[in-house]
Amino acid sequence: MNTTIYDVAREAGVSMATVSRVVNGNPNVKPTTRKKVLEAIERLGYRPNAVARGLASKRTTTVGVIIPDISSIFFSELARGIEDIATMYKYNIILCNSDHNKEKEIHLLNTLLEKQVDGIVFMGSQITEEHVEQFKRSPVPIVLSATIDPGKEFPSVNINYEQAAYDAVKFLIENGHTKVAMLSGSLEDPVNGYQKYAGYRRAIEEANITFNDDYVVIGDYTYDSGIEAMEMFLGLNERPTAIFAGTDEMALGIIHGAQDKGYNVPNDIEVIGFDNTRLAAMVRPTLTSVVQPMYDIGAVSMRLLTKYMNKEEVSDEVVLLPHRIEFRQSTK
Amino acid sequence: MNTTIYDVAREAGVSMATVSRVVNGNPNVKPTTRKKVLEAIERLGYRPNAVARGLASKRTTTVGVIIPDISSIFFSELARGIEDIATMYKYNIILCNSDHNKEKEIHLLNTLLEKQVDGIVFMGSQITEEHVEQFKRSPVPIVLSATIDPGKEFPSVNINYEQAAYDAVKFLIENGHTKVAMLSGSLEDPVNGYQKYAGYRRAIEEANITFNDDYVVIGDYTYDSGIEAMEMFLGLNERPTAIFAGTDEMALGIIHGAQDKGYNVPNDIEVIGFDNTRLAAMVRPTLTSVVQPMYDIGAVSMRLLTKYMNKEEVSDEVVLLPHRIEFRQSTK
DNA sequence: TTGAAAGCGCTAACAA
DNA sequence: TTGTTAGCGCTTTCAA
């Protein structure tokens, strides 16, 4: 049997309430009493039971995190930002992988709610009506992180993906390119697909370049899909001279795909990636990339969530963090 | 107020005990009763409170995971293995980053124990006496994952790092090299430092090659430390012709460091990395690397933990998973 | 097959 | 400053 607050109370010759006060740092305890209690705790090796505390207080100091895939270089960095801020505010996180699967997402949401988490950080791709319905039914606050909410109903933390993509493509155009291709994620994916694609289109159209269907390829975010896309681009009659990739990993594939066929980056082809993961510095030539501050997105999401959990006033429900381009050797 | 088991009982016209039985899938319930209860649950939108259940049953179906850094490509893959198996056995995980910091590790251990986790997977570098003491005091099982326990007192899952390093270095020697260098992690680190270093030494000595102090550099696991180490190696009078790096990321640094100075890999210098992370396929030349099955180590660790939590008989407390070398273009 | 009732270990009024 | 006491929502005997 584990020692309980009751054992400590008896050992110290005080009531349970007093022990509880000491454990919770309540100042209304006489120093000598506090000392007695602390000694009893030490002697008995008492360890408070957070489950009992959670039941009685209705707060678990635990938050749920639903993430597509923790092994992704992108999300793991985000998760780190979340965890660091959670720790700072004395929360623990329950981490769940959803694999971009809607059923899993909904199921995990309910599991976390059963576990009485005090709040949830949600990362996903699509926010469907069913998501919206479930989110609304949640008794605790939910913050969307690196996830687009079309209805803008829920608090969220993102960068402006459309604008970021626009900036990248515009830079390529200003470098003199008219044959600018894009390796996109699935267009069903609001973040990595649709938004970036929209930015690409806008930049192309504003520059009065005729949109060319062949210059947009849909990849699956992997390195290999970058290589394949590049082979396809190089097979075109009019091969592109600049390429914007939706993620760094695909951009690396693009670069190596070009090099494998004897092309030089950036002289024959300029390449820009997205996310500015550590990979960007680990290629030759090093990769110019749109900086998405992943750690910060996670950290800000968690910070925002703490505000909701504390019922603080929140002025900015939908936050857009700044982005920029980190220029390296894959562009001129 | 949330609806409780009591509300459901009243709504269905049965006792709390019966509702509890239905919720927990106890077969001793008449089908018609079960149906009544299920309907009441549906009508009321009842959601069981896992915290109350945890307090009453003394099982939380939650396990703690202490990991150095979830944003590392290595550990995040391991974490994914842990989480997948946890999910399979209906556990959730509380994930905590320790940054290889002993105080944090001990503190997190206690926090997790307060939260009444049913078991813990621990990843760290050093297992000190204080760790041992704390682990022994834990009321729930602890499994060490990718972490060396010098005393072999606790269940653990690893590969044989010494042998793996030996195999890599031996391969280089058999390729005709006598000037084989190593970029190691800190020798205080049992896994990435000491064990691999020991394997390197053994291979060198067995081949009757005189050990050369200049050929061992201590890096900090980063890409940049690989570049720096390479600069140092190339500054030597007798530069090494083959290099074994303790991690893939450092190996990439080695390769690019060599290329930046005009050397060709593998013709001038052969390179072998360690871990076979996805990075290994994302360099030119692609990197030969010792395969450490990270996902599997995580998965097996969690599986092992479930056995302890279920009080099953465990035959192999200390498991060593097989390793091999994945040959790519950075070696001949 | 079902129900009654005693906890699980703690917090939070309220009273003293 | 301290103690009393009634829950928090559930599981688990034990009895019927």
Side-chain angles (χ1 to χ4, degrees):
Chain A
M1 199 57 259
N2 249 310
T3 75
T4 73
I5 202 172
Y6 176 78
D7 302 320
V8 176
R10 204 183 32 192
E11 174 82 11
V14 299
S15 73
M16 283 164 56
T18 300
V19 177
S20 175
R21 288 187 188 101
V22 171
V23 170
N24 292 292
N26 184 317
N28 295 331
V29 181
K30 205 163 56 169
T32 56
T33 316
R34 179 185 307 281
K35 185 146 174 288
K36 264 197 312 191
V37 172
L38 256 15
E39 283 167 1
I41 286 177
E42 179 72 16
R43 228 173 300 137
L44 266 37
Y46 167 72
R47 172 182 291 142
N49 181 325
V51 171
R53 172 183 292 166
L55 182 58
S57 68
K58 301 183 166 307
R59 289 191 68 233
T60 54
T61 61
T62 301
V63 305
V65 175
I66 297 177
I67 201 165
D69 177 13
I70 190 61
S71 68
S72 132
I73 194 168
F74 174 77
F75 286 115
S76 64
E77 187 112 359
L78 236 155
R80 182 69 212 241
I82 294 172
E83 217 266 334
D84 279 1
I85 305 302
T87 300
M88 189 176 299
Y89 285 88
K90 311 252 183 251
Y91 287 94
N92 288 110
I93 65 172
I94 298 185
L95 197 288
C96 311
N97 293 104
S98 67
D99 292 314
H100 291 291
N101 175 314
K102 177 177 154 190
E103 276 66 46
K104 278 195 202 172
E105 286 169 350
I106 306 284
H107 173 246
L108 290 171
L109 183 65
N110 281 294
T111 304
L112 291 172
L113 259 16
E114 285 188 8
K115 296 231 168 168
Q116 311 298 115
V117 293
D118 296 333
I120 291 176
V121 178
F122 182 93
M123 283 152 278
S125 31
Q126 304 262 37
I127 300 295
T128 67
E129 279 184 32
E130 193 175 344
H131 286 92
V132 170
E133 204 174 291
Q134 294 276 345
F135 288 170
K136 281 188 177 158
R137 209 178 285 157
S138 165
V140 298
I142 297 179
V143 170
L144 306 184
S145 189
T147 301
I148 297 288
D149 164 24
K152 298 204 190 303
E153 296 177 82
F154 305 102
S156 64
V157 180
N158 287 289
I159 63 168
N160 187 334
Y161 298 99
E162 197 270 347
Q163 182 67 41
Y166 171 89
D167 293 347
V169 176
K170 182 155 188 216
F171 166 77
L172 293 172
I173 291 170
E174 285 175 348
N175 261 6
H177 295 279
T178 53
K179 289 179 264 178
V180 181
M182 170 172 190
L183 174 52
S184 168
S186 159
L187 296 185
E188 320 259 279
D189 180 337
V191 169
N192 285 305
Y194 187 72
Q195 296 259 339
K196 292 178 188 172
Y197 173 70
Y200 167 80
R201 291 276 324 224
R202 180 157 69 91
I204 292 287
E205 278 157 18
E206 272 188 18
N208 289 315
I209 297 174
T210 317
F211 174 74
N212 181 343
D213 231 5
D214 289 339
Y215 282 178
V216 176
V217 167
I218 306 298
D220 62 1
Y221 311 117
T222 62
Y223 175 79
D224 287 343
S225 75
I227 299 226
E228 282 165 28
M230 196 64 212
E231 282 172 4
M232 188 269 160
F233 285 139
L234 293 176
L236 258 30
N237 278 335
E238 300 246 332
R239 67 162 180 81
T241 58
I243 298 175
F244 167 56
T247 67
D248 281 353
E249 190 165 333
M250 292 197 292
L252 293 213
I254 293 277
I255 289 179
H256 288 150
Q259 289 172 342
D260 290 351
K261 297 282 187 205
Y263 290 89
N264 179 282
V265 177
N267 292 329
D268 301 327
I269 300 166
E270 294 191 59
V271 179
I272 294 191
F274 204 111
D275 289 345
N276 195 41
T277 52
R278 300 222 317 285
L279 293 176
M282 299 188 202
V283 226
R284 290 301 134 98
T286 53
L287 177 70
T288 293
S289 185
V290 177
V291 179
Q292 173 167 205
M294 295 153 298
Y295 180 92
D296 295 351
I297 292 180
V300 171
S301 302
M302 186 64 212
R303 177 64 185 104
L304 186 55
L305 185 60
T306 64
K307 289 186 187 167
Y308 284 104
M309 292 189 298
N310 294 337
K311 314 229 181 298
E312 289 175 31
E313 268 307 308
V314 176
S315 51
D316 37 358
E317 303 226 336
V318 173
V319 355
L320 285 182
L321 260 25
H323 63 267
R324 61 185 178 80
I325 299 178
E326 178 76 32
F327 295 99
R328 296 198 184 82
Q329 302 158 352
S330 67
T331 54
K332 290 193 273 200
Chain B
M1 202 54 260
N2 251 309
T3 74
T4 72
I5 203 172
Y6 177 78
D7 302 318
V8 176
R10 206 180 32 192
E11 174 83 9
V14 299
S15 73
M16 283 164 55
T18 300
V19 177
S20 174
R21 288 189 188 100
V22 171
V23 170
N24 292 293
N26 184 318
N28 295 331
V29 181
K30 209 164 52 171
T32 56
T33 315
R34 178 184 309 279
K35 187 149 174 287
K36 266 197 310 191
V37 172
L38 256 16
E39 283 167 2
I41 286 177
E42 179 72 17
R43 229 175 299 138
L44 268 36
Y46 167 72
R47 172 183 291 142
N49 181 325
V51 172
R53 174 183 291 168
L55 182 57
S57 69
K58 302 184 166 306
R59 289 193 66 233
T60 55
T61 61
T62 301
V63 305
V65 175
I66 297 176
I67 201 165
D69 178 11
I70 191 61
S71 69
S72 132
I73 194 168
F74 174 78
F75 287 114
S76 64
E77 186 111 1
L78 236 156
R80 181 69 211 239
I82 294 172
E83 217 267 332
D84 280 359
I85 304 302
T87 301
M88 188 175 299
Y89 285 88
K90 313 255 183 245
Y91 286 94
N92 288 111
I93 65 172
I94 297 184
L95 198 289
C96 312
N97 294 103
S98 67
D99 292 315
H100 292 290
N101 175 315
K102 177 176 155 190
E103 277 65 45
K104 278 195 202 171
E105 287 169 349
I106 305 283
H107 173 246
L108 290 172
L109 182 66
N110 281 294
T111 305
L112 291 172
L113 259 14
E114 286 189 7
K115 296 231 167 168
Q116 312 298 119
V117 294
D118 296 334
I120 291 176
V121 178
F122 182 93
M123 282 154 277
S125 32
Q126 303 262 38
I127 301 295
T128 67
E129 277 185 35
E130 193 175 346
H131 285 91
V132 170
E133 205 173 290
Q134 294 277 344
F135 288 170
K136 281 188 178 159
R137 209 178 284 158
S138 166
V140 299
I142 297 178
V143 169
L144 306 183
S145 190
T147 301
I148 297 289
D149 164 24
K152 297 204 191 305
E153 296 177 81
F154 305 101
S156 65
V157 180
N158 287 288
I159 63 168
N160 186 334
Y161 298 97
E162 196 271 347
Q163 182 67 40
Y166 171 88
D167 292 348
V169 176
K170 182 155 188 216
F171 166 78
L172 293 172
I173 291 169
E174 284 175 350
N175 260 8
H177 295 279
T178 52
K179 290 179 261 175
V180 181
M182 172 173 189
L183 174 51
S184 168
S186 158
L187 296 184
E188 320 259 280
D189 180 338
V191 169
N192 285 307
Y194 187 72
Q195 296 260 337
K196 292 178 187 172
Y197 173 71
Y200 166 80
R201 291 274 328 222
R202 180 157 68 92
I204 292 287
E205 278 156 18
E206 272 189 18
N208 289 316
I209 297 174
T210 317
F211 173 75
N212 181 342
D213 232 4
D214 289 338
Y215 283 178
V216 176
V217 167
I218 306 298
D220 63 1
Y221 312 118
T222 63
Y223 176 79
D224 287 343
S225 74
I227 299 224
E228 283 165 28
M230 196 65 212
E231 282 173 4
M232 187 270 161
F233 285 138
L234 293 176
L236 257 30
N237 277 336
E238 300 246 333
R239 69 159 178 82
T241 58
I243 297 174
F244 167 56
T247 67
D248 282 353
E249 190 165 332
M250 292 197 293
L252 293 212
I254 292 278
I255 289 179
H256 287 150
Q259 289 172 344
D260 290 351
K261 299 281 185 202
Y263 290 90
N264 179 281
V265 177
N267 292 329
D268 301 327
I269 299 165
E270 294 191 60
V271 179
I272 295 191
F274 205 109
D275 288 345
N276 195 40
T277 53
R278 301 219 319 285
L279 293 176
M282 299 190 203
V283 226
R284 291 302 135 99
T286 53
L287 177 70
T288 293
S289 186
V290 177
V291 179
Q292 174 166 206
M294 296 153 295
Y295 180 92
D296 294 351
I297 291 178
V300 171
S301 302
M302 185 64 212
R303 177 63 186 105
L304 186 56
L305 185 60
T306 63
K307 289 186 187 169
Y308 284 104
M309 293 188 297
N310 294 336
K311 313 226 182 298
E312 290 174 32
E313 267 306 309
V314 176
S315 51
D316 36 358
E317 302 225 338
V318 174
V319 355
L320 286 180
L321 261 25
H323 64 266
R324 62 185 176 80
I325 298 177
E326 179 76 33
F327 294 99
R328 295 199 184 81
Q329 301 158 353
S330 67
T331 54
K332 290 194 274 199

